[in-house]
């Protein structure tokens, strides 16, 4: 395997180059894609290399996702860029009532290979309407796959699998992670959807995370190690399908779990994890499962308030302590 | 004419206040003192001031991400606006909103919106409420040429016309929606012609001409107040600023922008008119610009001296406590 350091953004662009090269039915649709290679520069090189296959649209989210759904039904493999994940609200019918339902409702006659690329997350002082993490909404909708990568290599491996998947995939990539650097395999690198990664081994507590939550756990685990607590990190990578096998193996080993995500607490994916873990692994648990998440408010603008609302490394450390030190 | 002259000078001054606010905001943003991202309305002052100067204090306005000018023109407090941009506790929204989300419900400003066209469905509600309450207020929604392509615009325009709601759809066609030129995203050159499909008047005016904007607005207001329903006004203007501050703007050339900064600048055009009519001389002109600069200096000092909200204040204001 040849490996080099790339940013998450570059890993995305590389994967898209490879997939568009490999399969001419793949195209990208969305607002303001060609002038600056996406509003975050995330599609570097694609407008020059694939003219006519990365396409600017009017500001018409329902139509954009509709075009995605319709062309996926008719032998294309569209990738739709939603600009900011917050704008899923402007095309919910196309996502929830159409993309998610069509194959099932029509008795499995058709496949729907659609990727909806949603830049999400907070921390850039973008306030309430440009900072949300809404992945849990889509986990709740049967018929959609939900992917939330963390490291650059995950971005590459998962977007390629998402594109090749014959089902609609919601792909959430955190804006604050675009510039994160990491080792990324150079070749045709695929990570199967529904496969979590144990990114750190430990015996005392399992930190279950995805997306930006992974980076909190990574730092927290270092701090915990200095304090004599060995944390294991399970990066889910895909929320649906969910890799409960990997979670199970880890919890059988540690007997303790903390869930960590940037989305707000109530009704978040952490709740689903808690439910499954207590249902399936009750006898292996040495204490309650703790959830680390954002506060249950819209994201405020002012930096001090935004930072206060977001989950922090210390929250993860404290949550781990609270269950490890329990008698 | 004396009264007219005074009023025109006042509007001229307001346009300069908007321009100065935007310029100063841009400077503090570039200096890293304003967090997040800001969208400026430099070059569009005849539209904001032209429309809002025709409104009464009890009329409603909803604006978009490029809303500073509309707020100022409707009478918002410059200090509280500036403090909000700086994320301070003394800002309009106690630092919760920032540049894209300022509101002053006490003077009918129902909020700036970060979702493109997000304000349009809501303005229908304000218009409907006016009708239910049987007042003669009007409700104005500012939106861009880009926003005009959201599907909700169709729903709202049709409903507003069928129900004869007292609404003014104030379209600011500044020719660009982020990196996308209008001709690449709209099938028609004049978006106002879509009004025909809703059986309401649609007028396109030179949006950099304060008088044209005001005449069209006054007519629409008359129609709305007398129960005849909504009007779509298209103010044709140009976005001199980047889409947001820091926009690399690879999609257009300086040559394209130049005439809008010069002979087509709405402030310059009004200036020249006022000078030619003998209402304004250079000494007064300088005083007006200096006055606006002083207002902003005060506002920035206020914003800088103001405290940030306590982090825990993030948890306040979610629900009304009963
Ligand atoms: C529903 C939605 N889609 C996309 C965006 C991102 N966005 C913000 S402003 C903008 C361009 C808006 O253009 P226009 O309505 O013409 O207003 P202007 O910026 O020119 O004033 C876009 C695409 C958004 N905020 N909301």
């Amino acid at each position: 395997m040849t490996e080099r350091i790339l940013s998450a953004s570059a890993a995305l662009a590389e994967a898209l180059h490879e997939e568009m090269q490999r399969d001419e039915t793949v195209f990208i649709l969305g607002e303001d894609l060609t002038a600056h290679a996406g509003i975050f520069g995330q599609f570097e090189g694609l407008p020059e290399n694939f003219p006519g296959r990365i396409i600017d649209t009017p500001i018409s989210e329902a139509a954009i996702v509709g075009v995605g759904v319709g062309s996926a039904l008719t032998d294309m493999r569209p990738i739709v860029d939603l600009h900011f994940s917050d704008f899923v609200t402007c095309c919910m019918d196309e996502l929830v009532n159409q993309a998610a339902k069509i194959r099932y409702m029509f008795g499995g006659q058709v496949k729907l290979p659609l990727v909806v690329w949603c830049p999400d997350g907070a921390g850039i002082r973008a306030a309430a309407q440009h900072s949300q993490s809404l992945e849990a909404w889509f986990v709740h909708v049967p018929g959609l796959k939900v992917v939330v990568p963390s490291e650059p290599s995950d971005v590459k491996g998962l977007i390629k699998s998402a594109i090749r998947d014959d089902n609609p995939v919601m792909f959430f990539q955190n804006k604050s992670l675009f510039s994160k650097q990491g080792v990324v395999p150079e070749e045709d690198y695929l990570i199967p959807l529904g496969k979590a990664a144990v990114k750190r081994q430990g015996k005392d507590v399992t930190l279950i995370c995805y997306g930006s939550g992974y980076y909190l756990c990574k730092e927290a685990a270092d701090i915990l190690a200095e304090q004599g607590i060995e944390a294991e990190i399970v990066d889910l990578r895909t929320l649906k399908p969910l890799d409960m096998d990997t979670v199970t193996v880890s919890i059988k080993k540690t007997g303790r779990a903390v869930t960590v995500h940037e989305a707000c607490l109530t009704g978040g994916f952490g709740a689903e994890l808690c439910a499954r873990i207590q249902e399936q692994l009750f006898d292996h648990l040495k204490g309650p499962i703790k959830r680390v998440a954002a506060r249950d408010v819209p994201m405020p603008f002012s930096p001090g308030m935004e930072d206060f609302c977001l989950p922090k490394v210390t929250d993860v450390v404290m949550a781990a302590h609270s269950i490890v030190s329990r008698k | 004419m004396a009264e007219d002259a005074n009023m025109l000078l006042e509007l001229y001054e307001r346009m300069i206040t908007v321009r100065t606010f935007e310029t100063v905001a841009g400077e503090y943003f570039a200096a890293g003192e304003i967090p997040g991202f800001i969208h400026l309305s430099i070059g569009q002052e005849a539209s904001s001031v032209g429309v809002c100067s025709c409104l009464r204090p009890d009329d409603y306005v909803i604006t978009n991400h490029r809303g500073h000018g509309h707020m100022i023109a409707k009478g918002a407090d410059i200090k509280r606006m500036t403090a909000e941009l700086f994320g301070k506790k003394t800002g309009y929204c106690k630092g919760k909103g920032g540049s894209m989300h300022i509101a002053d419900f006490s003077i009918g400003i129902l909020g700036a919106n970060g979702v493109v066209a997000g304000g349009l469905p809501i303005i229908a509600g304000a218009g409907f409420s006016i009708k239910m309450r049987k007042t003669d207020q009007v409700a104005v929604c500012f939106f861009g040429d880009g926003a005009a392509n959201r599907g909700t615009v169709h729903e709202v325009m049709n409903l507003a016309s069928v129900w004869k709601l007292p609404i003014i759809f104030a379209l600011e066609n500044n020719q660009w929606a982020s990196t996308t030129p209008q001709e690449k995203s709209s099938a028609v050159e004049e978006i106002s012609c879509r009004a025909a499909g809703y059986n309401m008047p649609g007028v396109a005016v030179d949006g950099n001409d304060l008088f044209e904007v005001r005449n069209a607005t006054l007519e629409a207001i008359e129609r709305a107040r007398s129960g005849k329903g909504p009007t779509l006004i298209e103010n044709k203007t140009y976005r001199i600023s980047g889409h947001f501050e820091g926009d690399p703007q690879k999609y257009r050339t300086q040559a394209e922008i130049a005439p809008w900064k010069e002979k087509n600048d709405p402030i310059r055009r009004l200036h020249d008119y006022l000078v030619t009519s003998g209402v304004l001389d250079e000494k007064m002109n300088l005083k007006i610009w200096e006055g606006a600069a002083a207002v902003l200096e005060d506002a920035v000092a206020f914003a800088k001296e103001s405290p940030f909200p306590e982090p825990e204040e993030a948890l306040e204001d979610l629900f009304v406590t009963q």
Side-chain angles (χ1 to χ4, degrees):
Chain A
M1 267 217 236
T2 335
E3 291 174 333
R4 65 265 111 92
I5 304 283
L6 288 185
S7 69
S9 232
L12 176 73
E14 178 171 282
L16 293 170
H17 266 100
E18 291 171 9
E19 291 308 294
M20 289 176 83
Q21 199 88 58
R22 195 184 58 81
D23 180 349
E24 62 182 24
T25 66
V26 176
F27 68 95
I28 309 175
L29 194 69
E31 295 155 19
D32 303 301
L33 302 185
T34 61
H36 297 153
I39 57 167
F40 307 102
Q42 73 273 24
F43 299 137
E44 188 77 52
L46 294 167
E48 302 88 284
N49 291 320
F50 300 99
R53 289 174 63 196
I54 171 162
I55 303 145
D56 290 334
T57 65
I59 306 175
S60 307
E61 283 77 11
I64 297 166
V65 178
V67 169
V69 172
S71 48
L73 291 175
T74 52
D75 303 326
M76 300 299 284
R77 286 190 175 269
I79 299 164
V80 163
D81 171 331
L82 271 189
H83 221 75
F84 281 84
S85 78
D86 308 72
F87 309 147
V88 296
T89 55
C90 302
C91 46
M92 272 310 236
D93 184 60
E94 287 65 33
L95 295 171
V96 174
N97 281 326
Q98 311 305 332
K101 309 283 193 283
I102 284 177
R103 176 180 161 80
Y104 181 84
M105 205 165 66
F106 296 133
Q109 291 181 58
V110 77
K111 54 187 192 183
L112 210 156
L114 168 69
V115 176
V116 183
W117 186 81
C118 307
D120 71 350
I124 59 166
R125 319 318 183 193
Q129 296 175 332
H130 288 77
S131 301
Q132 298 169 88
S133 293
L134 299 171
E135 66 280 357
W137 289 5
F138 299 95
V139 171
H140 193 62
V141 177
L144 297 175
K145 295 191 177 182
V146 180
V147 178
V148 194
S150 56
E151 295 179 285
S153 58
D154 298 316
V155 171
K156 177 166 179 180
L158 290 165
I159 193 77
K160 286 171 75 93
S161 293
I163 293 168
R164 296 188 200 182
D165 200 287
D166 283 335
N167 301 287
V169 179
M170 302 294 297
F171 195 95
F172 293 94
Q173 210 178 321
N174 195 296
K175 301 190 281 287
S176 68
L177 302 184
F178 286 152
S179 58
K180 286 273 185 202
Q181 308 275 314
V183 169
V184 178
E186 202 164 328
E187 62 281 342
D188 188 23
Y189 174 65
L190 288 131
I191 298 172
L193 303 191
K195 192 86 200 76
V198 178
K199 290 195 170 169
R200 182 183 177 125
Q201 302 275 347
K203 62 171 178 34
D204 297 323
V205 58
T206 304
L207 308 177
I208 311 173
C209 57
Y210 56 88
S212 61
Y214 165 69
Y215 286 95
L216 297 181
C217 293
K218 190 169 175 245
E219 268 190 64
D222 286 340
I223 295 170
L224 287 165
E226 284 167 19
Q227 300 165 347
I229 297 172
E230 288 177 35
E232 176 146 307
I233 301 179
V234 174
D235 183 347
L236 294 175
R237 305 195 291 200
T238 307
L239 306 190
K240 207 173 190 181
L242 176 63
D243 181 2
M244 263 315 274
D245 292 346
T246 300
V247 172
T248 301
V249 170
S250 182
I251 290 194
K252 281 187 177 165
K253 177 160 77 167
T254 64
R256 301 180 185 94
V258 178
T259 72
V260 182
H261 55 61
E262 187 181 315
C264 60
L265 182 75
T266 303
F269 194 69
E272 177 67 25
L273 287 167
C274 290
R276 289 187 186 227
I277 293 167
Q278 68 81 21
E279 269 172 4
Q280 298 170 23
L281 298 161
F282 189 79
D283 293 331
H284 298 276
L285 288 175
K286 296 175 187 153
I289 307 159
K290 289 282 168 181
R291 289 181 293 163
V292 172
R295 304 275 179 162
D296 281 322
V297 288
M299 205 48 73
F301 163 69
S302 195
M305 289 196 293
E306 181 175 40
D307 293 344
F308 171 80
C309 289
L310 288 169
K312 282 170 276 301
V313 173
T314 51
D315 297 331
V316 181
V317 171
M318 278 161 57
H321 267 293
S322 76
I323 45 176
V324 172
S325 62
R326 209 169 157 273
K327 287 282 164 294
Chain B
M1 179 66 192
E3 202 174 284
D4 255 22
N6 282 339
M7 188 195 78
L8 284 177
L9 281 174
E10 212 176 284
L11 298 188
Y12 179 64
E13 190 179 335
R14 211 171 301 171
M15 285 170 69
I16 288 170
T17 306
V18 172
R19 173 73 54 95
T20 308
F21 183 93
E22 299 293 53
T23 308
V24 169
E27 286 164 10
Y28 282 94
F29 181 83
E33 295 197 46
I34 293 176
F37 42 106
I38 61 173
H39 306 80
L40 304 183
S41 65
I42 291 176
Q44 304 180 197
E45 297 88 348
S47 173
S48 52
V49 172
V51 172
C52 291
S53 62
C54 301
L55 299 175
R56 296 195 315 230
D58 66 335
D59 290 330
Y60 299 121
V61 166
I62 293 184
T63 173
N64 60 7
H65 56 284
R66 204 174 302 288
H68 302 156
H70 310 130
M71 317 276 315
I72 294 169
K74 184 72 169 59
D77 182 82
I78 309 271
K79 284 187 175 166
R80 293 178 69 197
M81 280 182 68
T82 308
E84 188 61 35
L85 262 62
F86 278 74
K88 296 300 180 79
K89 189 179 163 75
T90 52
Y92 261 117
C93 312
K94 306 177 200 163
K96 290 204 168 76
S99 159
M100 252 195 308
H101 308 295
I102 305 183
D104 185 345
F105 289 85
S106 72
I107 52 169
I109 302 173
L110 307 185
N113 211 305
V115 177
V116 163
L120 279 141
I122 303 173
I123 207 70
F128 184 70
S129 141
I130 292 169
K131 219 177 152 171
M132 293 287 277
R133 290 183 285 106
K134 299 187 171 52
T135 72
D136 70 342
Q137 294 160 283
V138 300
V140 179
C141 188
F142 287 98
F143 63 111
D145 46 289
N149 298 321
R150 285 282 317 282
T152 44
V153 176
H154 164 67
E155 298 189 13
V156 163
M157 289 191 177
N158 179 61
L159 179 146
S161 184
V162 173
W163 290 357
K164 296 211 183 321
L165 301 182
I167 291 174
I168 296 163
F169 296 105
L171 166 59
E172 290 186 324
N173 185 346
N174 62 16
Q175 305 183 33
W176 287 95
S178 186
T179 69
T180 307
Q182 195 220 319
E183 67 269 17
K184 279 204 185 156
S185 60
S186 168
V188 291
E189 200 187 315
E190 259 174 17
I191 295 169
S192 49
C193 80
R194 295 185 194 166
Y198 307 108
N199 194 23
M200 70 174 158
V203 286
V205 303
D206 178 345
N208 281 14
D209 182 328
L210 183 81
F211 300 98
E212 278 203 31
V213 173
R214 277 180 52 85
N215 288 340
T217 307
L218 288 169
E219 207 170 304
I221 288 177
E222 166 65 27
R223 212 179 113 77
R225 294 211 204 280
S226 60
K228 296 200 185 91
T231 302
L232 168 58
I233 301 176
E234 176 174 4
N235 293 333
K236 299 181 114 176
T237 178
Y238 189 80
R239 190 194 79 216
I240 291 176
S241 320
H243 172 54
F244 54 88
E245 287 306 284
D247 181 356
Q249 302 186 59
K250 291 184 195 153
Y251 49 85
R252 63 179 184 179
T253 61
Q254 282 304 315
E256 177 187 315
I257 308 170
W260 297 94
K261 278 186 171 167
E262 292 150 21
K263 67 178 200 314
N264 235 334
D265 177 340
I267 293 182
R268 172 142 161 193
R269 284 173 61 179
L270 186 60
H271 165 272
D272 292 353
Y273 173 86
L274 294 174
V275 169
T276 317
S277 337
V279 170
L280 181 74
D281 61 31
E282 281 320 308
K283 215 173 116 197
M284 286 163 74
N285 188 42
L286 193 65
K287 231 180 107 194
I288 292 172
W289 281 98
E290 283 172 355
V295 167
L296 261 299
E297 219 169 279
D298 277 358
V300 168
F302 172 75
K304 285 189 168 188
E305 284 159 13
S306 295
F308 281 107
E310 292 301 322
E312 296 76 16
E313 287 173 39
L315 304 180
E316 296 170 5
D317 299 320
L318 188 60
F319 289 114
V320 175
T321 35
Q322 285 176 319

Coordinates of all heavy atoms in Angstrom, one line a residue, chain A residues 31-32 59 61 83 87 90 130, chain B residues 65-66 114-116 144-147 150 174 176-178 243, ligand 1:
Chain A
E31 N -25.1 23.6 -5.9 CA -25.0 25.1 -6.1 C -23.5 25.5 -6.0 O -22.8 25.0 -5.1 CB -25.8 25.8 -5.0 CG -27.3 25.6 -5.1 CD -28.0 25.8 -3.8 OE1 -27.5 26.4 -2.9 OE2 -29.1 25.2 -3.7
D32 N -23.1 26.3 -6.9 CA -21.8 27.0 -6.8 C -20.6 25.9 -6.8 O -19.7 26.0 -5.9 CB -21.7 27.9 -5.6 CG -22.8 28.9 -5.7 OD1 -22.8 29.7 -6.7 OD2 -23.6 29.0 -4.8
I59 N -30.6 27.8 -7.0 CA -30.8 27.6 -5.6 C -32.2 26.9 -5.5 O -33.2 27.6 -5.3 CB -30.7 28.9 -4.8 CG1 -29.4 29.5 -5.1 CG2 -30.8 28.5 -3.3 CD1 -29.2 30.9 -4.4
E61 N -33.2 23.5 -3.9 CA -32.8 22.2 -3.3 C -33.8 21.0 -3.6 O -33.3 19.9 -3.8 CB -32.7 22.4 -1.7 CG -31.4 23.1 -1.3 CD -31.4 24.6 -1.5 OE1 -32.5 25.1 -1.8 OE2 -30.3 25.2 -1.4
H83 N -24.5 21.8 -0.1 CA -24.0 23.2 0.3 C -23.7 23.3 1.8 O -22.6 23.6 2.2 CB -25.0 24.2 -0.1 CG -24.4 25.4 -0.7 ND1 -23.9 25.5 -2.0 CD2 -24.3 26.7 -0.2 CE1 -23.5 26.7 -2.3 NE2 -23.7 27.5 -1.2
F87 N -29.5 22.5 5.0 CA -30.5 22.7 3.9 C -31.2 21.4 3.5 O -32.0 21.4 2.6 CB -29.9 23.4 2.7 CG -29.1 24.7 3.0 CD1 -28.0 25.1 2.3 CD2 -29.5 25.4 4.1 CE1 -27.3 26.2 2.7 CE2 -28.8 26.6 4.5 CZ -27.7 27.0 3.8
C90 N -34.8 21.8 3.2 CA -35.4 22.3 2.0 C -35.7 21.2 1.0 O -36.3 21.5 -0.1 CB -34.5 23.4 1.3 SG -34.1 24.7 2.5
H130 N -26.5 27.3 10.1 CA -25.4 26.7 9.3 C -24.4 25.9 10.1 O -23.3 25.8 9.8 CB -24.6 27.9 8.7 CG -25.2 28.6 7.5 ND1 -26.2 29.5 7.8 CD2 -25.1 28.6 6.2 CE1 -26.6 30.0 6.6 NE2 -26.0 29.5 5.6
Chain B
H65 N -29.7 37.1 4.2 CA -28.3 37.1 4.7 C -27.6 38.4 4.4 O -26.6 38.7 5.1 CB -27.5 35.9 4.1 CG -27.6 36.0 2.6 ND1 -28.7 35.6 1.9 CD2 -26.6 36.4 1.7 CE1 -28.4 35.8 0.6 NE2 -27.2 36.3 0.4
R66 N -28.0 39.2 3.4 CA -27.4 40.4 3.1 C -28.3 41.6 3.6 O -28.8 42.4 2.9 CB -27.3 40.5 1.6 CG -26.1 41.5 1.1 CD -25.9 41.4 -0.4 NE -25.6 40.1 -0.9 CZ -24.5 39.4 -0.7 NH1 -23.5 40.0 -0.1 NH2 -24.3 38.2 -1.1
G114 N -30.8 33.2 7.3 CA -29.6 32.6 6.7 C -30.0 31.5 5.7 O -29.1 31.0 5.0
V115 N -31.2 31.1 5.6 CA -31.7 30.2 4.6 C -32.2 31.0 3.5 O -33.2 31.8 3.6 CB -32.8 29.2 5.2 CG1 -33.3 28.3 4.2 CG2 -32.2 28.5 6.4
V116 N -31.7 30.8 2.3 CA -32.1 31.5 1.1 C -33.6 31.3 0.9 O -34.0 30.2 0.8 CB -31.2 31.2 -0.1 CG1 -31.9 31.7 -1.4 CG2 -29.8 31.8 0.1
G144 N -33.2 37.7 -3.0 CA -32.3 37.9 -4.1 C -32.7 37.2 -5.4 O -33.7 36.4 -5.3
D145 N -32.0 37.4 -6.4 CA -32.3 36.7 -7.7 C -32.1 35.2 -7.5 O -32.7 34.4 -8.2 CB -31.4 37.3 -8.8 CG -30.0 37.4 -8.4 OD1 -29.7 38.4 -7.6 OD2 -29.1 36.7 -8.9
G146 N -31.1 34.9 -6.7 CA -30.9 33.4 -6.4 C -32.1 32.8 -5.7 O -32.6 31.8 -6.0
A147 N -32.5 33.6 -4.7 CA -33.6 33.1 -3.8 C -34.9 32.9 -4.7 O -35.7 32.0 -4.4 CB -33.9 34.1 -2.7
R150 N -36.0 29.3 -5.5 CA -36.5 28.3 -4.5 C -38.0 28.0 -4.8 O -38.8 28.9 -5.1 CB -36.4 28.8 -3.1 CG -34.9 28.8 -2.5 CD -34.4 27.5 -2.0 NE -35.4 26.7 -1.3 CZ -35.7 26.9 0.0 NH1 -35.2 27.8 0.7 NH2 -36.6 26.1 0.5
N174 N -29.2 41.5 -7.9 CA -27.9 42.1 -8.0 C -27.0 41.3 -8.9 O -25.8 41.3 -8.9 CB -27.2 42.1 -6.6 CG -27.1 40.8 -5.9 OD1 -27.2 39.8 -6.6 ND2 -26.9 40.8 -4.6
W176 N -25.9 38.4 -9.3 CA -25.1 37.2 -8.9 C -25.7 36.6 -7.6 O -26.2 37.3 -6.7 CB -23.7 37.6 -8.5 CG -22.8 38.0 -9.7 CD1 -22.6 39.2 -10.2 CD2 -22.1 37.1 -10.5 NE1 -21.8 39.1 -11.3 CE2 -21.5 37.8 -11.5 CE3 -21.9 35.7 -10.5 CZ2 -20.7 37.2 -12.5 CZ3 -21.1 35.1 -11.4 CH2 -20.5 35.9 -12.4
A177 N -25.7 35.2 -7.6 CA -26.1 34.5 -6.5 C -24.8 33.7 -6.1 O -24.5 32.7 -6.8 CB -27.3 33.6 -6.7
S178 N -24.1 34.2 -5.1 CA -22.8 33.6 -4.8 C -22.0 33.5 -6.1 O -21.7 34.6 -6.7 CB -23.0 32.2 -4.2 OG -21.8 31.7 -3.7
H243 N -19.5 37.9 -2.5 CA -20.7 37.3 -1.9 C -20.6 37.3 -0.4 O -21.5 37.7 0.3 CB -20.8 35.8 -2.4 CG -21.8 35.1 -1.7 ND1 -23.1 35.5 -1.6 CD2 -21.8 33.9 -0.9 CE1 -23.9 34.7 -0.9 NE2 -23.1 33.7 -0.4
Ligands
LIG1 C1 -31.7 27.2 1.0 C2 -30.3 27.7 0.9 N1 -29.5 27.3 -0.1 C3 -28.3 27.7 -0.3 C4 -27.8 28.6 0.6 C5 -26.3 29.2 0.4 N2 -26.3 30.5 -0.1 C6 -26.3 31.6 0.8 S1 -26.5 33.0 0.0 C7 -26.5 32.3 -1.5 C8 -26.7 33.1 -2.7 C9 -28.0 33.9 -2.6 O1 -28.1 34.6 -3.8 P1 -29.3 35.7 -3.9 O2 -30.5 35.2 -3.3 O3 -29.3 36.3 -5.2 O4 -28.8 36.9 -2.8 P2 -27.5 37.7 -2.8 O5 -26.5 36.9 -2.1 O6 -27.1 37.9 -4.2 O7 -27.8 38.9 -2.1 C10 -26.4 30.9 -1.4 C11 -26.5 29.9 -2.5 C12 -28.6 29.1 1.7 N3 -28.1 29.9 2.6 N4 -29.8 28.6 1.8

